Amino acid sequence: MHISPVLWQFLVKWLNASALFPREASTIAPYMDALYFFLLAMTVVGMALVGALILGFSIRYRKARNPVATQVEGSTLLEATWTIIPLALFLVCFVWGALLYFRIYNPPTNAMNIYIVGKQWMWKAEHPGGQHEINALHVPIGRPVQLTMISQDVFHSYSIPDFRVKREVIPGRYTTVWFQATDVGTYHLFCTQYCGTAHSAMIGEITAMTPDDYDKWTRDSTSGMSLAQNGERLFASMGCNACHSGNAAARGPSLAGVYGSKLQLNDGSQVQVTDAYLRDAILNPSQHITAGYAPIMPTYQGQISEDGLIDLVEYIKNMQTNYRVQQTLTTAQSNQAAPVTPEMVKP
């Protein structure tokens, strides 16, 4: 089915103006709407055709004209026609939908990443620069944005109708989705998975800004510490640098540059190091033993929050050398070995 661009724009604008349809405010929205209207048109045409056939046969074979039922012989051509045409339409929908699915869930390599943590009944957004938002999200227009999401309690669903974005937010597992906003404005954010008594209050706002305004917002909203810097402090305070120092005698593997690589495990398998892998390796280390190392790492299940895990993951993702790890470890060891003097003891 072909619709002229002028007619398409008129239809979309009319729907937006009549409040019957969300705005198209992202690059993916027109593609989603095109598939939606194709399915809608196919359904209406199919319903009209079947209705017309039922009405026509009811009139043609009514009792007054055919008091005695007569045998109607089948037609191979007719059987093939009503089998092949619907099959072709369904295959078109399948291929179209599959291509759209891969387009939505495979973000561009240059997409900026923002972490989303859902819990009853609020959304928390964490930007790599250290900006934190509750039930709100600021994004620049014209730039792809990837959302890496997880829930702290029950199932949620992150939905931005104007961007045609909807993704399940699952406990214990990262899910991702991406979009690129096209119009400056404020848009509704909903949870579309029933998550408890205050589910209807789990809402928020997405603010799409020009790149200059977004840069100004990030400078004005920073907490002073990026996620990676918070992760570095947590890494040291939990003693991770004692085993993952990168030294030849270290009891754990070096983490410098490990993100994005393929890691050889003790069982002979290989695994791609992603955000999800790093998170799971921290919480369930016995299931992810790097080849050549003993299974001595303790589990941190229940000892670190989702926010802390995000900080650690972001730190490891950005770790390119072991210099700062070794420097921090040396300082800590020096402090432990230093003798206690009278001046260090408070009266």
Side-chain angles (χ1 to χ4, degrees), residues 71-94:
Q71 179 66 33
V72 179
E73 296 297 331
S75 167
T76 303
L77 178 61
L78 185 61
E79 293 276 357
T81 300
W82 70 41
T83 300
I84 293 174
I85 291 178
L87 176 62
L89 289 172
F90 293 152
L91 286 176
V92 167
C93 294
F94 171 78

Side-chain angles (χ1 to χ4, degrees), residues 1 91 95 115 142 148 151 180 189 271 282 295 308 341:
M1 176 180 291
L91 286 176
V95 173
Y115 293 94
T148 300
S151 170
Q180 182 173 315
L189 165 65
V271 63
I282 295 169
T341 62

Side-chain angles (χ1 to χ4, degrees), residues 212-224:
D212 290 341
D213 288 341
Y214 178 75
D215 290 341
K216 183 178 183 301
W217 176 84
T218 55
R219 290 194 301 270
D220 295 342
S221 305
T222 182
S223 61

